[in-house]
Amino acid sequence: DNPRMTLRRSPLLLVGVTMTTLVALLYFSASRIMSQGFDRLEQQTADVQLMCIRDDFEAAEGQLEVLGREWANWTAFYEYMLDRRSDFLAENLSYQTARNAGIAAYAVLDTAGRLVAGGATDTLAGAFAPLPADMARGLEAEPGYRLVNGAPAPIRGLALFGGEPFLYVSAPIRRSDATGEPRGTIVM
């Protein structure tokens, strides 16, 4: 062998292997750093989106609670729970009012938890439809939606009916000045 050829080849081989190793090391390091950065960015984005969803949920829940309390603390509604005039709800809780307020369904329960009246918005018909059977059964069966032992139990939350999530609020039905024994519960 020619010693000059070996001498020339050795430094080139050494430089080539070193460069290849450095480039590979740089690639894997940069790749890992970028991946961690993107993972952190994705996590931060998901956290912000979850906070926005939570804030929207709480705002909708608060608006629904205000609406439920307005309806529940109304003397005419309080009197309806005694006389049960059939035209009262038709005159006072129209489909358009419910739809504009974002109410998908409502139920009126007496103090024993029996369904007095209720309806679900039917956007195709543009009117109230009867409450879905599973929703009516669930409202009557679950004491958490109504008055328990005569004590008002205003609650709000999220429930599943027919596999669909519903944001709801319930409030005891009282006079406009919030006096008198509750005569039932409205759930919206």
Side-chain angles (χ1 to χ4, degrees), residues 22-66:
L22 287 174
V23 167
L25 185 64
L26 180 63
Y27 171 78
F28 288 116
S29 296
S31 191
R32 183 176 169 111
I33 290 169
M34 293 292 281
S35 176
Q36 288 174 346
F38 284 129
D39 288 346
R40 198 171 30 253
L41 182 61
E42 282 179 350
Q43 183 62 46
Q44 289 171 347
T45 302
D47 290 345
V48 167
Q49 288 173 341
L50 283 174
M51 285 190 305
C52 290
I53 290 169
R54 187 195 66 216
D55 291 346
D56 288 348
F57 179 81
E58 287 175 356
E61 197 175 46
Q63 289 172 342
L64 189 58
E65 184 174 355
V66 166

Side-chain angles (χ1 to χ4, degrees), residues 88-100:
F88 176 80
L89 291 174
E91 289 174 3
N92 293 288
L93 183 58
S94 70
Y95 164 79
Q96 197 61 42
T97 300
R99 187 165 174 255
N100 290 345

Side-chain angles (χ1 to χ4, degrees), residues 10-25:
S10 291
L12 285 177
L13 188 59
L14 186 62
V15 168
V17 168
T18 304
M19 288 298 288
T20 303
T21 304
L22 287 174
V23 167
L25 185 64

Side-chain angles (χ1 to χ4, degrees), residues 43-136:
Q43 183 62 46
Q44 289 171 347
T45 302
D47 290 345
V48 167
Q49 288 173 341
L50 283 174
M51 285 190 305
C52 290
I53 290 169
R54 187 195 66 216
D55 291 346
D56 288 348
F57 179 81
E58 287 175 356
E61 197 175 46
Q63 289 172 342
L64 189 58
E65 184 174 355
V66 166
L67 186 62
R69 287 188 186 276
E70 284 176 359
W71 264 83
N73 293 329
W74 182 25
T75 301
F77 196 35
Y78 187 76
E79 291 168 0
Y80 162 77
M81 292 304 290
L82 282 182
D83 62 28
R84 310 270 170 94
R85 282 189 5 246
S86 60
D87 61 338
F88 176 80
L89 291 174
E91 289 174 3
N92 293 288
L93 183 58
S94 70
Y95 164 79
Q96 197 61 42
T97 300
R99 187 165 174 255
N100 290 345
I103 298 171
Y106 77 94
V108 179
L109 306 170
D110 64 16
T111 54
R114 290 182 302 262
L115 187 65
V116 172
T121 53
D122 182 345
T123 54
L124 294 177
F128 279 117
L131 279 178
D134 64 328
M135 184 179 283

Side-chain angles (χ1 to χ4, degrees), residues 57-66 69 144-145 153-159 166-171 187-188:
F57 179 81
E58 287 175 356
E61 197 175 46
Q63 289 172 342
L64 189 58
E65 184 174 355
V66 166
R69 287 188 186 276
Y145 294 111
I155 56 170
R156 60 187 192 173
L158 193 62
F166 282 89
L167 179 64
Y168 70 90
V169 65
S170 72
V187 182
M188 298 180 151

Side-chain angles (χ1 to χ4, degrees), residues 142-160:
E142 178 59 48
Y145 294 111
R146 62 181 186 270
L147 302 174
V148 179
N149 298 327
I155 56 170
R156 60 187 192 173
L158 193 62
L160 287 176

